[in-house]
Amino acid sequence: PLIDSDAISRGQTAICRNFAAVRFALQRRRFLRLINISMHRDHIRTWVAQHRHLVTMSSTPEGWYAINYTPRVTWRDLWSPEMELMRGVTVDRHFRIISAPFRKIYTYGVESRAPTVSDDAVCDVHRKWDGVPMAVSQHRGRSIITHMGHTQDQWTERFGQVIDQDRWHAVLSQWPNHTVWFEWVTDASITRDPPGIYCVARRENTWSSQHDQSADVLQAIADELGIQHTPRWSETFGELKHRANQDRTEGYVFRTADTTWAKLKTSWYLTQTFLHRWGASGLAQRLNNDNILATIDPQFKPLVLWIRARWSQYCAMTPDERIQWIAEEWDLNNFGHDVRCGSFRFFWWD
């Protein structure tokens, strides 16, 4: 049969045009993404300059900057979409991200921006570890270890000594321009969680990206690094609240199909952390301050209200007796009971 050379030529031309169209579309998409990234970067740089009274910028030996929010943000509930990113982000002088932070996750029933969840809503849940937050990011072919944005402190030095850095780089370099977050549980853990390193999230190193907690990806990373898995499961929110009243853990991170991630701290952990931070000597002085609720971490407000409602009983005790009393009575009464302080319902999630 005769070969129609004109048809072949027309076909080749059409294919070339299609390839050119696809190439142009990909280039346009990449260009628009770069413009979007640049706009976000310029916006964040301007925002930080306007909020230097609420964030700190510490220089690193590499000439980068570690940006963190100040305690005032938590005490006065000054969160914003931009502030949610100021949780240990490492940037260069052009505000390009070197190590992306774990976006702020709000505590259910304590912070106003936490989602509202019904008891019958099914949640994806995983354990929240009582550990040191560590991050390993990929930057220009290198693995960068950071702790709250800092590249060199006691935690980054110790972490670098306990991991096989060559193996970690080989594994994590599969996700270039990403940061992977870990909880490093040490012997100092209040909850006595099993010591080890747990993979908890990853995120692209851009200002607009969201963190990814996909179980399959994180478990694959944990397997390749030879570290522990983070337990994950599904249950209703009512079941999760009951669990939080019974367990001796820090708490849980959860979300439903319609909500963002949020935290639920256990009653036991809040008690232990409260006592651990303040100790016996400074506890009475702080609790007797009428302005205390404006100056403490919001997660401790329910416990403070409970103590102040029993102030005469509290004052009659010695410092050591007070510590023991809080550890036993508040913890005991908080399990499965509705403890009221005036009109305040003590279960903050009710």
Side-chain angles (χ1 to χ4, degrees), residues 31-49 67 81-82 85-86 89 91 94-97 103 203-210:
F31 174 75
L32 291 176
R33 183 173 182 273
L34 291 174
I35 291 296
N36 184 46
I37 290 174
S38 178
M39 290 176 63
H40 274 93
R41 188 168 66 235
D42 291 342
H43 169 73
I44 294 294
R45 178 164 46 191
T46 301
W47 184 91
V48 169
I67 308 178
E82 296 85 357
L85 298 168
M86 304 300 144
V89 58
V91 300
H94 300 293
F95 267 66
R96 290 176 297 216
I97 293 180
R103 279 179 176 268
R203 184 183 158 206
E204 186 181 9
N205 293 341
T206 63
W207 290 107
S208 58
S209 63
Q210 299 292 328

Side-chain angles (χ1 to χ4, degrees), residues 47-75:
W47 184 91
V48 169
Q50 295 172 344
H51 294 80
R52 289 301 300 271
H53 59 296
L54 296 177
V55 298
T56 61
M57 288 186 65
S58 305
S59 60
T60 73
E62 298 85 358
W64 303 330
Y65 298 95
I67 308 178
N68 284 279
Y69 62 84
T70 65
R72 183 183 177 190
V73 173
T74 300
W75 296 341

Side-chain angles (χ1 to χ4, degrees), residues 112-335:
S112 59
R113 291 171 179 80
T116 300
V117 186
S118 62
D119 281 355
D120 59 353
V122 177
C123 303
D124 294 326
V125 185
H126 67 81
R127 275 283 306 275
K128 188 179 188 309
W129 301 104
D130 179 26
V132 180
M134 303 299 300
V136 182
S137 63
Q138 300 302 307
H139 178 68
R140 296 182 177 177
R142 296 172 52 206
S143 289
I144 309 297
I145 300 174
T146 57
H147 168 247
M148 300 307 295
H150 299 281
T151 58
Q152 289 190 19
D153 63 12
Q154 62 166 328
W155 292 112
T156 59
E157 182 178 353
R158 290 175 56 187
F159 192 76
Q161 293 172 351
V162 301
I163 67 173
D164 182 340
Q165 294 196 40
D166 291 337
R167 178 181 181 182
W168 278 55
H169 176 71
V171 172
L172 298 180
S173 60
Q174 299 176 63
W175 292 275
N177 199 36
H178 277 72
T179 299
V180 182
W181 277 73
F182 304 88
E183 285 284 353
W184 183 22
V185 179
T186 67
D187 292 336
S189 168
I190 295 175
T191 61
R192 296 293 184 265
D193 287 335
I197 301 172
Y198 300 85
C199 185
V200 293
R202 70 184 179 110
R203 184 183 158 206
E204 186 181 9
N205 293 341
T206 63
W207 290 107
S208 58
S209 63
Q210 299 292 328
H211 60 258
D212 178 14
Q213 293 183 285
S214 304
D216 53 346
V217 174
L218 299 182
Q219 289 185 4
I221 293 175
D223 287 338
E224 292 192 57
L225 294 177
I227 61 177
Q228 291 90 334
H229 287 183
T230 296
R232 300 172 185 274
W233 65 94
S234 296
E235 64 183 347
T236 67
F237 190 57
E239 292 170 334
L240 181 60
K241 290 193 298 184
H242 177 74
R243 184 189 298 273
N245 280 333
Q246 304 296 328
D247 283 0
R248 299 299 199 260
T249 64
E250 178 175 348
Y252 312 94
V253 179
F254 71 93
R255 72 172 177 182
T256 69
D258 304 319
T259 64
T260 57
W261 290 100
K263 295 180 292 187
L264 182 63
K265 298 289 188 71
T266 67
S267 305
W268 177 85
Y269 178 78
L270 292 175
T271 309
Q272 298 302 312
T273 309
F274 180 81
L275 301 178
H276 179 76
R277 289 186 183 180
W278 283 5
S281 59
L283 195 56
Q285 181 180 358
R286 290 173 180 264
L287 290 173
N288 200 30
N289 179 0
D290 288 336
N291 296 321
I292 186 174
L293 293 182
T295 61
I296 65 169
D297 192 320
Q299 66 181 347
F300 297 128
K301 288 182 180 180
L303 177 57
V304 172
L305 290 171
W306 185 87
I307 295 173
R308 286 175 69 94
R310 296 154 179 78
W311 188 244
S312 59
Q313 185 179 356
Y314 176 82
C315 291
M317 301 178 186
T318 65
D320 288 340
E321 289 173 341
R322 291 168 182 166
I323 296 294
Q324 187 67 22
W325 175 68
I326 295 173
E328 293 179 355
E329 295 297 322
W330 185 81
D331 190 49
L332 176 65
N333 280 281
N334 196 35
F335 288 166

